[in-house]
Amino acid sequence: IISRNVAELNNLKAGDTIVLRDKDFLEYRLTVAGVCDNYINSYAYISVDTFTARTGGANTSPENGNVLFNAAYINIKKGRDLHEAAAALMNDDKVRSVSVNADTLRMLTNMLKTMDYIVVLVTVCAAALAFIVLYNLTNINITERIREIATIKVLGFYPGETASYVFRENLALTLLGMLAGIPIGILLHGYVMSRVKLDLIVFDVHISTAGFLVSLALTLCFAVMVDIAMYFKIARINMAESLKSIE
């Protein structure tokens, strides 16, 4: 059984053959039985029987034939001092080194927190771009239809009716853009995360439902803000001057 990071980096799946090499550079061809999730470090898990059969007893005790293990995972009871336990293990002459996984997890967590600033920066820039695009498109739409809007106002339409005549189209286009942006965003997100390949870390790639809802809500909020800003521009349109202009 191999971890998912190993499978993805080597394009392996259950049933494929993997070649492993030991410390003496001897190679062993094994069949992948399955792929497991392990987000920190990469591992290959082999049963004792397979290990003994493939190594030909080279890693067994000459006295009783038991497999010689060179590493062990130890669970410490909750509430106990991990570093105190590690120090106690190091006092044993048979122990070469002790690694506290909690420290590794803490270090990687602090390292990944720096990515939060990058995510915030990208989100703010994307939000600003969405607002600017919506504002410019709406402004261009009103400018090109200024005689049409002036005619509607002359015919006696109320300000709210005139504004809804213009903004109804913008709102419909915004909703269509939101629906089209969801699948495109999923594909782009998957592509970007597929380019982030690390030997020791694998990311749990998924997009939460809250992420979709927040992005849709922000886009709709920006569209409403633009419509409010453009409402006053429509109200300031001079009907007489607009109708006298030559197109």
Side-chain angles (χ1 to χ4, degrees), residues 6 11 21 27 40 45 48 97 101 106 108-109 120 151 154 165 207 221 238:
V6 176
N11 195 25
R21 186 183 296 113
E27 294 185 349
I40 301 177
Y45 303 94
V48 174
S97 64
N101 286 345
R106 190 179 303 107
L108 292 174
T109 301
V120 171
T151 302
V154 168
Y165 175 77
I207 305 176
C221 181
N238 190 312

Side-chain angles (χ1 to χ4, degrees), residues 84-106:
E84 182 180 343
L89 290 172
M90 283 299 297
N91 291 329
D92 191 327
D93 295 336
K94 296 180 180 180
V95 177
R96 180 175 299 177
S97 64
V98 177
S99 176
V100 180
N101 286 345
D103 292 341
T104 304
L105 178 60
R106 190 179 303 107

Side-chain angles (χ1 to χ4, degrees), residues 12 23 41 53 60 71 100 104 134 136 153 183 215 228 231:
L12 295 172
K23 62 180 181 180
N41 292 327
T60 58
V100 180
T104 304
L134 288 172
N136 288 336
K153 296 179 69 174
S215 60
I228 293 175
Y231 175 84

Side-chain angles (χ1 to χ4, degrees), residues 20-21 24 41 48 59 64 90 110 127-128 131 133 149 151 166 169 175 201 222 228 238:
L20 301 180
R21 186 183 296 113
D24 297 322
N41 292 327
V48 174
N59 292 276
N64 51 29
M90 283 299 297
N110 293 333
F131 182 83
V133 169
I149 297 172
T151 302
V166 178
E169 177 183 341
L175 293 175
I201 301 176
F222 291 148
I228 293 175
N238 190 312

Side-chain angles (χ1 to χ4, degrees), residues 7-48:
E8 292 179 353
L9 290 175
N10 296 279
N11 195 25
L12 295 172
K13 62 182 183 300
D16 292 343
T17 300
I18 185 174
V19 179
L20 301 180
R21 186 183 296 113
D22 62 14
K23 62 180 181 180
D24 297 322
F25 297 98
L26 297 176
E27 294 185 349
Y28 305 95
R29 299 179 65 87
L30 301 173
T31 301
V32 178
V35 178
C36 66
D37 288 329
N38 193 83
Y39 301 107
I40 301 177
N41 292 327
S42 299
Y43 298 97
Y45 303 94
I46 306 173
S47 67
V48 174

Side-chain angles (χ1 to χ4, degrees), residues 204-222:
D204 182 17
V205 180
H206 70 277
I207 305 176
S208 64
T209 303
F212 287 112
L213 296 178
V214 170
S215 60
L216 295 176
L218 285 175
T219 303
L220 187 61
C221 181
F222 291 148

